[in-house]
Amino acid sequence: MNVQLIMTAIGLVLIIEGLGPLLFPNKWQKYLLEFSTQKQNVLRRLGGSLVTAGIVLLIIF
């Protein structure tokens, strides 16, 4: 893999992740508060699902 491709991917992730707090700070704060009250098992399943989806996308593309 090319280092430039990896840095581009990381840059895109940072842009996408930053859009929520930039455009909707009040909703983002409420979302984080709700998210922080979830049980650890729910958070682990969500994290595992996101990692799996990311790996699948990397393999496909």
Side-chain angles (χ1 to χ4, degrees):
M1 269 199 159
N2 190 352
V3 173
Q4 184 178 5
L5 179 64
I6 293 171
M7 296 309 284
T8 301
I10 291 172
L12 286 173
V13 168
L14 292 172
I15 290 169
I16 292 169
E17 288 291 325
L19 285 176
L22 176 67
L23 299 175
F24 310 104
N26 292 332
K27 288 183 182 182
W28 188 255
Q29 192 173 29
K30 290 177 186 176
Y31 166 76
L32 289 178
L33 184 60
E34 178 69 28
F35 197 72
S36 68
T37 61
Q38 298 296 315
K39 294 182 180 179
Q40 285 185 356
N41 287 339
V42 173
L43 297 175
R44 282 193 179 106
R45 276 190 263 139
L46 177 62
S49 298
L50 292 173
V51 168
T52 303
I55 290 170
V56 168
L57 286 174
L58 285 176
I59 291 171
I60 292 174
F61 298 105

